[in-house]
Amino acid sequence: MINLLLFPIILPFFFAIALLFFKEQVKVQRVLTLIGVIVSLGASLWLVKTVHTEGVQSVTLGSWPAPFGISMVSDMFSALLVTTTLVLTLFVVIYSFSSIGKERERFFYYPAMLFMVTGVNGAFTTGDIFNLFVFFEVLLIASYVLIGLGGEKKQLRESIKYILINVVSSAFFVITVAYLYSVVGTLNMADISVKIADIQQPGIVTVIAVLMLIVFGIKGSIFPLHFWLPNAYAAPPIPVLALFGALLTKVGVYAIMRTYTLFFVHDTAVTHEILMVLAILTVLIGCIGALAYFDLKQIIIYNIVIAVGVILYGAAQMNEPGVSGAVFYLIHDMLIKAALFLLIGIIIYVTGTSNLRKMGGLMKTHAPLGWVYLVAAFGLAGIPPLSGFVGKLLIVQGAFEAGNVWGAIIILASSLVVLLSVIRIFIYAFWGEIPATSYPKTSNQTYKRLMLPAVILVVLSIFYGVGTEWLMPFMTDATDVLLQPSIYIDAVLK
């Protein structure tokens, strides 16, 4: 049992190390990366099944009893996120074969990707707050490589900003963890929860909760800490952008959801009220950005900001529909954002530009791309029965039950803005006439190879929406652990 929990972290790590020895052999790198991701995915699917049948799995390293050793914990929430991460990585890897370019592939692109996945999965699985910091650093260091890979002027400029902001936020993280340790005297997350309950969350702990929100808010890009995100994410090539957009902000969101349902639950009038207000402001600022730009990348990147706000608003309700909707919407958003980034990558490949004003008439030349994009766009906006609908419906239901009517109305209205922003891409790029300066010559073979992973991801997102009933037992398991911390605590502290 012990190893199963660690496989989705250890396997990508070992494969990443192995890849370092095949710098020049691109084909070997591709094959090894595919094998590594598929084997890890198999392990994570088995883990989901095990957690569903046997309950929360935990292991404390070094045969020390918890809370003294470092605990790794896999409940349904983290197991689902780990599995989704590996599914997305698999399709981004396949997409990369035809789009990232051999120069970047030779320059440790695949090892960096697998190291990043190691950090992401580790952050989702750790049961130790300091270890969460360690895994954050692992994924950030790998992302520094990926954001600057290729050395274009824009990439280097944005990577400097990105690194500076994350270094500051990491320092802030360590200071906050030190404050927390000085109050409760433990780093084990289950034990922290018990100790905070014992001392009834005094004012100092509420201050620490707000500091944590700032730390994870920078990583997850909550208003007003989202300022770095749009330009930083637009700089690297599309496969890297797809990974960043689908995974990195979600680790920050996960960390907020975990700490705000496990530790900081005794003074919700302050902590969760602040979270709710910031979530709504995040949605509003994302809506403004999504409508303001005529650049494909920026429109979808601002939609990441909107989704972060929607998920956290659901989590802040602290009732079953709200939290359940947040879990459902979080996984939906990872799938659909990855699919949309891959699709806009194809549009940029075909047209040679990411400026909407220079596009048009793609329906005449690339109709399948148009229809697949339209389905993904509807999924993002939450048109029933697609995957965005169920999560948002539950979040709105949770808000109404908690008496937060205005927030619910803003969340519903944001769906219209999301729909408008993505349909605008469809109208500009696919309707009308092909521009006078015609599109560059592209290879039909490459176009088909790029379409394959994008189409499969869109189909997966459709199944995720249509198969809601089948998935609900897993979502209920994930929600139960978040709303009843005792399940988590008992599993870890035995």
Side-chain angles (χ1 to χ4, degrees):
M1 206 41 261
I2 198 163
N3 307 345
L4 186 57
L5 175 64
L6 302 174
F7 272 158
I9 306 162
I10 291 171
L11 286 170
F13 180 70
F14 281 131
F15 272 92
I17 290 172
L19 286 170
L20 296 174
F21 297 101
F22 299 101
K23 183 173 184 283
E24 295 302 321
Q25 290 139 295
V26 170
K27 280 192 174 153
V28 178
Q29 285 207 48
R30 289 176 176 182
V31 172
L32 276 177
T33 307
L34 265 184
I35 294 170
V37 175
I38 290 168
V39 174
S40 307
L41 178 57
S44 72
L45 287 167
W46 186 251
L47 181 62
V48 168
K49 180 178 170 292
T50 308
V51 171
H52 185 55
T53 50
E54 297 174 21
V56 180
Q57 302 295 321
S58 84
V59 50
T60 304
L61 306 176
S63 50
W64 287 80
F68 305 108
I70 292 173
S71 293
M72 303 299 280
V73 187
S74 198
D75 56 8
M76 189 51 80
F77 185 37
S78 72
L80 288 173
L81 290 175
V82 164
T83 306
T84 311
T85 298
L86 290 162
V87 169
L88 300 184
T89 308
L90 177 63
F91 292 113
V92 171
V93 166
I94 296 167
Y95 187 91
S96 300
F97 295 165
S98 310
S99 68
I100 196 82
K102 289 228 166 110
E103 281 311 303
R104 282 190 173 96
E105 285 182 296
R106 280 203 189 91
F107 217 82
F108 305 115
Y109 169 68
Y110 296 115
M113 192 193 270
L114 290 180
F115 280 128
M116 192 175 101
V117 169
T118 304
V120 171
N121 285 347
F124 288 149
T125 312
T126 184
D128 182 286
I129 192 87
F130 186 76
N131 242 28
L132 183 64
F133 164 75
V134 173
F135 281 118
F136 260 118
E137 291 310 296
V138 171
L139 72 91
L140 284 172
I141 289 165
S143 72
Y144 299 156
V145 175
L146 289 170
I147 198 171
L149 197 59
E152 293 167 18
K153 187 178 174 185
K154 183 172 152 201
Q155 277 181 284
L156 295 174
R157 185 182 67 236
E158 291 306 328
S159 64
I160 292 168
K161 287 186 208 163
Y162 177 75
I163 291 170
L164 279 174
I165 283 156
N166 276 302
V167 165
V168 170
S169 117
S170 293
F172 205 47
F173 191 176
V174 174
I175 293 165
T176 309
V177 169
Y179 281 148
L180 184 61
Y181 184 73
S182 71
V183 175
V184 294
T186 180
L187 293 170
N188 182 295
M189 280 148 86
D191 203 32
I192 291 171
S193 181
V194 173
K195 295 283 201 302
I196 289 177
D198 288 346
I199 56 175
Q200 283 302 306
Q201 189 160 343
I204 181 71
V205 177
T206 304
V207 172
I208 292 167
V210 175
L211 289 177
M212 283 275 181
L213 185 59
I214 295 169
V215 170
F216 299 137
I218 296 174
K219 314 275 191 201
S221 76
I222 303 182
F223 175 84
L225 308 166
H226 69 290
F227 58 89
W228 59 272
L229 179 103
N231 288 338
Y233 278 20
I238 288 290
V240 176
L241 166 56
L243 271 184
F244 282 18
L247 299 181
L248 292 194
T249 46
K250 305 305 181 292
V251 184
V253 171
Y254 163 82
I256 292 171
M257 285 176 71
R258 179 64 81 195
T259 52
Y260 270 57
T261 54
L262 187 60
F263 316 157
F264 307 123
V265 289
H266 307 279
D267 194 6
T268 52
V270 178
T271 49
H272 291 60
E273 204 64 36
I274 292 172
L275 181 59
M276 222 177 303
V277 171
L278 290 179
I280 288 294
L281 290 171
T282 306
V283 171
L284 293 173
I285 205 78
C287 288
I288 293 167
L291 293 179
Y293 283 91
F294 274 87
D295 182 273
L296 278 181
K297 289 182 179 179
Q298 294 289 4
I299 293 170
I300 308 291
I301 287 169
Y302 271 101
N303 271 296
I304 298 175
V305 178
I306 298 173
V308 167
V310 171
I311 295 160
L312 290 175
Y313 188 74
Q317 305 310 315
M318 287 302 278
N319 55 20
E320 186 153 348
V323 174
S324 184
V327 173
F328 201 93
Y329 200 83
L330 175 60
I331 295 171
H332 143 78
D333 194 65
M334 291 166 80
L335 285 170
I336 205 75
K337 283 296 190 309
L340 275 167
F341 280 123
L342 299 189
L343 287 166
I344 63 163
I346 302 169
I347 298 173
I348 293 168
Y349 170 72
V350 170
T351 57
T353 175
S354 66
N355 185 343
L356 279 181
R357 293 191 177 97
K358 294 180 181 170
M359 294 179 191
L362 279 180
M363 230 18 173
K364 292 169 187 162
T365 54
H366 297 79
L369 175 60
W371 295 120
V372 173
Y373 172 79
L374 195 60
V375 172
F378 284 158
L380 182 69
I383 307 281
L386 298 168
S387 58
F389 172 70
V390 182
K392 205 166 269 187
L393 186 70
L394 285 167
I395 288 169
V396 169
Q397 184 192 336
F400 277 121
E401 279 185 19
N404 301 314
V405 180
W406 279 108
I409 292 168
I410 290 171
I411 297 289
L412 286 171
S414 75
S415 294
L416 293 173
V417 175
V418 169
L419 186 61
L420 184 60
S421 72
V422 284
I423 290 299
R424 207 173 51 148
I425 295 179
F426 184 73
I427 291 170
Y428 269 90
F430 292 94
W431 286 6
E433 296 302 316
I434 293 172
T437 55
S438 65
Y439 297 137
K441 283 269 182 286
T442 53
S443 148
N444 201 27
Q445 201 77 37
T446 305
Y447 164 71
K448 283 178 181 162
R449 282 206 299 265
L450 292 175
M451 278 294 279
L452 179 70
V455 170
I456 297 174
L457 267 179
V458 173
V459 170
L460 270 179
S461 79
I462 295 170
F463 278 131
Y464 184 67
V466 176
T468 306
E469 206 167 318
W470 183 74
L471 289 165
M472 255 336 185
F474 298 96
M475 298 299 155
T476 309
D477 283 0
T479 310
D480 288 347
V481 170
L482 291 174
L483 285 176
Q484 301 166 28
S486 58
I487 301 174
Y488 184 95
I489 293 165
D490 293 343
V492 178
L493 300 180
K494 307 228 176 5

